[in-house]
Amino acid sequence: GAVVSQHPSWVICKSGTSVKIECRSLDFQATTMFWYRQFPKQSLMLMATSNEGSKATYEQGVEKDKFLINHASLTLSTLTVTSAHPEDSSFYICSARGGLAGSRYEQYFGPGTRLTVT
Amino acid sequence: QQQVKQSPQSLIVQKGGISIINCAYENTAFDYFPWYQQFPGKGPALLIAIRPDVSEKKEGRFTISFNKSAKQFSLHIMDSQPGDSATYFCAASTGFGNEKLTFGTGTRLTIIP
């Protein structure tokens, strides 16, 4: 149980285009989803927290107009990188929490999406 | 106050040995301490987690030791195997209101034959 999927697993796009990444909780309802960014050999950096049906809460320094997050249902959240630039190239990981008995605190992570902007 | 300090940055252990990774925190409001394992190109996977009402939790070869007064917790991997070679992250969060995880900086563990 507690499986989170991400799609696509990797994507290459040209500078100036937009890319959408999907995060799905497959076997539980995720009341809260989180989006992280990870640079090579570094820790995870939280970008934003989203609750189903609410606007996402962005961490300080994260441009909300550039990284659009939508949490339209209890099993799906999307991250859209708008007008992508090479510096947006990174590993994007989502996590989901909620719904399972006794797992109020536990976050389950997706496999990540490697974004390369050329 | 929100930081979680993790050490060492990298660790090499012989197969069959004990791997020990340490974390320290300042925020006394933290009440949930998970450890994650991450392989290259993959998302982190929850290994084991502890609440501050217990001093130790064991699951298979993995043990968390928790010292509330010292605000420290550690991960012990017994009988370390080459398949345990990965990056390990400790984390902490509060269970009330803002429940985002604060991650440590990570430890790259290598198990050598």
Side-chain angles (χ1 to χ4, degrees):
Chain A
V3 178
V4 177
S5 71
Q6 276 183 248
H7 179 80
S9 55
W10 59 270
V11 57
I12 302 172
C13 71
K14 291 187 177 181
S15 187
T17 62
S18 295
V19 176
K20 180 184 284 188
I21 302 169
E22 291 186 349
C23 176
R24 293 181 184 272
S25 56
L26 299 185
D27 52 2
F28 68 102
Q29 292 185 324
T31 52
T32 306
M33 286 186 169
F34 304 84
W35 286 95
Y36 295 84
R37 185 173 181 177
Q38 187 177 35
F39 292 105
K41 298 184 180 181
Q42 292 191 24
S43 189
L44 287 81
M45 183 188 78
L46 179 66
M47 299 175 65
T49 302
S50 74
N51 292 293
E52 184 263 340
S54 303
K55 286 186 178 180
T57 301
Y58 290 82
E59 295 298 299
Q60 193 172 12
V62 177
E63 298 177 61
K64 61 181 180 180
D65 293 332
K66 180 168 188 62
F67 299 100
L68 300 179
I69 291 171
N70 184 277
H71 192 164
S73 76
L74 284 171
T75 59
L76 173 65
S77 177
T78 59
L79 167 68
T80 301
V81 183
T82 62
S83 187
H85 291 284
E87 57 265 30
D88 299 323
S89 299
S90 190
F91 193 49
Y92 292 88
I93 312 172
C94 72
S95 71
R97 188 188 65 223
L100 295 174
S103 66
R104 174 185 173 185
Y105 302 97
E106 294 175 357
Q107 283 188 34
Y108 298 94
F109 284 80
T113 296
R114 174 75 57 193
L115 169 63
T116 302
V117 185
T118 61
Chain B
Q1 192 178 18
Q2 284 292 104
Q3 281 186 329
V4 176
K5 295 182 181 179
Q6 185 171 345
S7 63
Q9 188 174 1
S10 63
L11 179 63
I12 299 174
V13 174
Q14 205 141 23
K15 179 183 174 182
I18 302 173
S19 304
I20 301 174
I21 304 171
N22 301 297
C23 284
Y25 64 97
E26 290 295 326
N27 186 354
T28 55
F30 285 145
D31 66 352
Y32 172 66
F33 304 88
W35 284 90
Y36 288 87
Q37 178 190 58
Q38 185 179 31
F39 293 104
K42 304 294 183 184
L46 178 64
L47 259 183
I48 187 172
I50 198 168
R51 298 289 310 281
D53 50 347
V54 296
S55 59
E56 185 174 281
K57 184 175 180 180
K58 183 176 180 179
E59 288 185 3
R61 296 184 295 110
F62 301 94
T63 300
I64 298 180
S65 296
F66 184 80
N67 186 329
K68 188 174 181 179
S69 60
K71 291 183 284 186
Q72 295 175 348
F73 59 109
S74 60
L75 175 70
H76 295 233
I77 305 175
M78 313 299 286
D79 187 25
S80 300
Q81 298 297 312
D84 297 330
S85 297
T87 299
Y88 292 81
F89 293 96
C90 63
S93 75
T94 60
F96 307 99
N98 187 6
E99 301 177 13
K100 59 185 179 182
L101 286 170
T102 299
F103 279 88
T105 50
T107 296
R108 178 169 288 194
L109 174 65
T110 304
I111 307 301
I112 56 175

